[in-house]
Amino acid sequence: MMPPSDPYAGERLKHSHFHERQAAMNLRDAWSSWNGYKFADYYYDESYEYFCIRNTCGTYDICPMQKYMIEGPDALAMLNRMVTRDLRKLGVDRVTYVCWCTDSGRMIDDGTIFRLGEERFMLTCGSPSLAWLRKSSLGFEQLSITEYTEDFAALSLQGPTSFAVLKRMGLEAVGELKPFGIMHLPFNGSSLMISRTGFTGDLGYELWIEPSEALPLWDALYSAGEDYGIHPYGEAATNMARMEAAFIMPDMEFNEALKTINFEYDQTPLELNLGWLVDFKKPHFNGRAALLEQTKRGPKRMLVKLDIEGNKPADGSILYSNKRCSKEIGYVTSGMWSPAVKANIALAMVDTQALKGEIWAEVYYERELRHRHKVARCTLKDKPFWAPARARQTPPGDC
């Protein structure tokens, strides 16, 4: 008798190009999924992995991140119409952070654009965007759009000893790479692309190579990093680091506009405090008229950084204009006790009119199975909670 076919065979998660090495190090077998890939929540302990990012260095698998190559004479014009930032200012072998919107100015997603040549660009983002790219390309005939997600093995190396590890690998030239710069170096008979980019707010790089060289790259990296505390980290530690850097995350700080059901439950770049990404001096781009109008009248709410008294994380807390909690003015999108900053930090969406007054958070927490709550004073912060000088220095220093 023939064995019955597996009804779930088509739904099994794909393995990234580094999965063989990562699976051996995932002692807790703690996996989730990202864009159809098996993806680590954590490998051993999220706090341990967080401290690797902040004190030594760690690797984060970005193979599941969506990657698209846009090429041709019309590539720049098409992308410049789609995103809010002026890409004409982006030089070859440079990277920039961008976002793109609907015609109503509601943010669809954010990501990075790599300019790999005069007419060659790579867009990376967290969610699939091929359909939107194709819609945005209507009327532009001299370009091609190709999904490259599986054609790159991509690994993020982050932390204060990240440059030291690359230097030990024989990649000393990376020391001259400026933030958001790109460099191409030989590796094992192939070409290794290194960008000084990342999602932790610290010194770090992203390594891009053809899939056949993924495991040799991993082995060389971990051999060089053995004395520098290298360790893989998962989504949990990433979330901690990006909060300290005040970086936004989809499904936390913002809802992707094309997936949002309720009216204005999505956000605009201005509401997310990303006005610096919107360049009204360039020609027409998606959402320009709506965003210009919002600039004139001001956004109703704004994403802000808060320092909250006490040490109980305020994640998901409701915010009020007074200690009596009689008037609701916003909510916390992400919150944590920051080990590096030694502060109770949060990102929060707050009514713009309330930003000049007091802000209080109603914090719920648990102590020995008993549920408690308190009202804590909040202080607005202008700068990221974590922004070490080494993240901007060139050369970055050899820890």
Side-chain angles (χ1 to χ4, degrees), residues 283-333:
H284 178 72
F285 57 87
N286 283 11
R288 187 182 191 281
L291 291 172
L292 186 59
E293 179 60 30
Q294 189 177 57
T295 300
K296 295 176 181 178
R297 68 173 187 270
K300 297 177 183 177
R301 57 195 66 85
M302 183 79 72
L303 186 73
V304 298
K305 296 173 282 291
L306 297 177
D307 186 330
I308 302 176
E309 66 179 3
N311 61 1
K312 303 301 180 186
D315 195 27
S317 293
I318 301 298
L319 301 177
Y320 298 90
S321 61
N322 55 63
K323 194 173 183 179
R324 300 185 305 277
C325 300
S326 59
K327 184 179 180 182
E328 185 177 324
I329 59 171
Y331 56 92
V332 171
T333 60

Side-chain angles (χ1 to χ4, degrees), residues 142-382:
Q142 294 182 296
L143 61 77
S144 63
I145 300 171
T146 309
E147 181 167 352
Y148 258 67
T149 303
E150 297 188 13
D151 296 322
F152 265 125
L155 193 66
S156 186
L157 173 66
Q158 302 288 307
T161 64
S162 56
F163 170 60
V165 172
L166 294 176
K167 186 177 178 181
R168 179 169 285 191
M169 283 178 63
L171 304 174
E172 295 92 344
V174 174
E176 299 306 313
L177 191 60
K178 295 180 180 180
F180 294 97
I182 300 170
M183 185 174 286
H184 302 267
L185 297 172
F187 174 81
N188 205 32
S190 183
S191 177
L192 172 65
M193 183 172 79
I194 302 177
S195 57
R196 192 168 168 182
T197 48
F199 199 52
T200 65
D202 212 314
L203 174 64
Y205 305 86
E206 291 175 339
L207 313 179
W208 312 78
I209 201 162
E210 59 186 68
S212 63
E213 296 299 325
L215 296 186
L217 175 63
W218 179 283
D219 293 340
L221 199 62
Y222 271 74
S223 177
E226 185 176 2
D227 295 333
Y228 292 95
I230 193 170
H231 192 281
Y233 63 95
E235 188 65 14
T238 299
N239 193 43
M240 296 173 70
R242 70 91 193 170
M243 269 193 274
E244 291 178 333
F247 293 154
I248 63 173
M249 181 83 86
D251 298 326
M252 291 186 179
E253 277 64 55
F254 73 97
N255 292 315
E256 297 174 33
L258 300 182
K259 301 177 183 177
T260 307
I261 297 174
N262 293 294
F263 179 65
E264 291 191 349
Y265 273 48
D266 49 14
Q267 292 78 25
T268 71
L270 304 180
E271 292 171 347
L272 292 169
N273 224 337
L274 296 176
W276 55 279
L277 283 184
V278 182
D279 193 336
F280 291 111
K281 295 181 181 179
K282 75 169 187 173
H284 178 72
F285 57 87
N286 283 11
R288 187 182 191 281
L291 291 172
L292 186 59
E293 179 60 30
Q294 189 177 57
T295 300
K296 295 176 181 178
R297 68 173 187 270
K300 297 177 183 177
R301 57 195 66 85
M302 183 79 72
L303 186 73
V304 298
K305 296 173 282 291
L306 297 177
D307 186 330
I308 302 176
E309 66 179 3
N311 61 1
K312 303 301 180 186
D315 195 27
S317 293
I318 301 298
L319 301 177
Y320 298 90
S321 61
N322 55 63
K323 194 173 183 179
R324 300 185 305 277
C325 300
S326 59
K327 184 179 180 182
E328 185 177 324
I329 59 171
Y331 56 92
V332 171
T333 60
S334 300
M336 64 175 284
W337 168 259
S338 167
V341 182
K342 300 295 186 292
N344 195 15
I345 65 174
L347 299 178
M349 193 66 72
V350 181
D351 294 345
T352 308
Q353 293 181 346
L355 291 175
K356 294 181 180 180
E358 295 183 349
I359 302 175
W360 296 82
E362 188 173 20
V363 182
Y364 286 82
Y365 61 98
E366 183 182 294
R367 179 181 294 166
E368 294 184 345
L369 302 181
R370 295 196 179 188
H371 294 274
R372 300 170 180 265
H373 89 283
K374 67 175 184 177
V375 181
R377 183 186 293 274
C378 305
T379 303
L380 287 169
K381 294 294 181 180
D382 294 328

Side-chain angles (χ1 to χ4, degrees), residues 26-200:
N26 196 325
L27 302 180
R28 307 298 187 189
D29 204 27
W31 302 96
S32 60
S33 64
W34 180 18
N35 289 333
Y37 282 83
K38 193 172 185 178
F39 192 73
D41 277 334
Y42 56 94
Y43 291 82
Y44 171 68
D45 177 83
E46 62 185 71
S47 295
Y48 178 84
E49 293 162 27
Y50 160 83
F51 281 110
C52 285
I53 299 171
R54 290 292 179 242
N55 297 326
T56 57
C57 66
T59 60
Y60 178 68
D61 188 1
I62 53 175
C63 288
M65 186 166 60
Q66 301 295 280
K67 309 167 192 75
Y68 304 97
M69 205 67 70
I70 302 95
E71 303 173 89
D74 285 343
L76 175 59
M78 172 260 167
L79 286 171
N80 213 30
R81 188 191 184 284
M82 186 182 90
V83 304
T84 61
R85 201 164 194 173
D86 193 347
L87 296 182
R88 296 174 300 180
K89 302 175 182 178
L90 182 64
V92 174
D93 283 337
R94 296 291 296 169
V95 187
T96 193
Y97 174 51
V98 296
C99 66
W100 52 99
C101 304
T102 65
D103 285 340
S104 299
R106 319 305 293 186
M107 201 159 100
I108 296 172
D109 205 352
D110 64 347
T112 53
I113 287 182
F114 292 59
R115 189 164 192 175
L116 304 178
E118 288 296 332
E119 299 179 353
R120 190 166 187 250
F121 299 82
M122 182 174 71
L123 171 68
T124 73
C125 51
S127 296
S129 297
L130 184 57
W132 188 260
L133 281 167
R134 287 174 174 167
K135 288 181 179 179
S136 300
S137 69
L138 292 176
F140 297 96
E141 297 180 355
Q142 294 182 296
L143 61 77
S144 63
I145 300 171
T146 309
E147 181 167 352
Y148 258 67
T149 303
E150 297 188 13
D151 296 322
F152 265 125
L155 193 66
S156 186
L157 173 66
Q158 302 288 307
T161 64
S162 56
F163 170 60
V165 172
L166 294 176
K167 186 177 178 181
R168 179 169 285 191
M169 283 178 63
L171 304 174
E172 295 92 344
V174 174
E176 299 306 313
L177 191 60
K178 295 180 180 180
F180 294 97
I182 300 170
M183 185 174 286
H184 302 267
L185 297 172
F187 174 81
N188 205 32
S190 183
S191 177
L192 172 65
M193 183 172 79
I194 302 177
S195 57
R196 192 168 168 182
T197 48
F199 199 52
T200 65

